[in-house]
Amino acid sequence: MLDICKLGEDVLREECSDIKEFDDALKMLSEAMIDTLDEADGVGLAGPQVGVPKKIFVVHIRGEKPMVFINPSIVGTSIETGVYEEGCLSIPGVYHDVVRPVGVTIQAQDVNGKPFTIQADGILARVIQHENDHLHGKLYIDHLEEREREKVIRSYEKKNRIRRKQKARV
Ligand code: NI
């Protein structure tokens, strides 16, 4: 299992670099990321969240096959937008509504370097946009108005302090 980086760690704010080597190390990284994602009971996890500032993210929607996106690029978005409550494994315990396009077209490569294009809507489109943001140092809270963002951060920090105290007791 990989450690998940939390809000405040610099790696979450980096612009990620392209992946050029499609080797065994990349396959191992993507498998470890999927295992970490499943263990954390999340739906998406990006490289910088596990301390790797490279263009890779994984998506695992319950009941479907896990997907790996390498060097992804969103090439189209719907005009229609929707609201959905998002959370992030790097900001655990807090959630907020975020407005985003309801549909996206994304181009990426698989673990073997083979290019593919996916047109997604619904939850998949939502997760793809959230994870793709991570590759550009962006978090879902950056989409919120400043006052709302501060509220989410304060609530996260409060929960985090309580969690640390509980940990210290055992
Ligand atoms: Ni996230």
Side-chain angles (χ1 to χ4, degrees):
M1 259 3 106
L2 304 166
D3 283 334
I4 298 178
C5 300
K6 300 293 175 348
L7 183 68
E9 292 187 55
D10 292 342
V11 69
L12 292 175
R13 293 308 195 174
E14 278 184 51
E15 176 68 29
C16 294
S17 56
D18 288 341
I19 287 173
K20 293 185 178 105
E21 309 264 351
F22 293 85
D23 53 10
D24 285 347
L26 181 64
K27 289 190 181 78
M28 282 173 64
L29 172 65
S30 65
E31 278 163 27
M33 284 176 68
I34 292 166
D35 289 346
T36 304
L37 175 63
D38 289 347
E39 178 72 22
D41 204 23
V43 288
L45 184 69
Q49 293 184 276
V50 292
V52 179
K54 290 186 180 167
K55 286 187 184 158
I56 176 171
F57 67 74
V58 297
V59 173
H60 194 188
I61 290 165
R62 300 294 158 262
E64 290 180 27
K65 264 175 70 179
M67 304 165 82
V68 182
F69 295 78
I70 292 162
N71 301 327
S73 153
I74 290 176
V75 294
T77 52
S78 64
I79 293 161
E80 191 194 338
T81 58
V83 180
Y84 192 87
E85 191 179 58
E86 292 187 29
C88 181
L89 292 174
S90 294
I91 322 172
V94 293
Y95 306 88
H96 201 285
D97 280 349
V98 181
V99 179
R100 294 187 195 263
V102 293
V104 290
T105 304
I106 185 165
Q107 287 178 349
Q109 285 166 282
D110 67 14
V111 279
N112 298 307
K114 195 178 159 218
F116 64 91
T117 303
I118 287 178
Q119 252 188 304
D121 55 22
I123 179 78
L124 181 59
R126 179 59 64 159
V127 179
I128 283 173
Q129 292 174 82
H130 177 117
E131 298 314 321
N132 195 66
D133 274 353
H134 274 298
L135 305 185
H136 302 284
K138 197 166 178 180
L139 303 170
Y140 82 88
I141 55 173
D142 302 337
H143 289 273
L144 310 179
E145 283 176 24
E146 200 178 335
R147 218 174 45 172
E148 290 302 301
R149 178 166 56 247
E150 305 276 293
K151 245 198 264 176
V152 173
I153 293 172
R154 268 201 304 277
S155 156
Y156 165 69
E157 284 173 345
K158 199 172 156 194
K159 282 185 181 171
N160 209 33
R161 271 197 300 275
I162 293 164
R163 196 159 41 230
R164 269 205 302 266
K165 264 188 208 155
Q166 281 168 344
K167 245 188 204 167
R169 259 183 230 124
V170 291

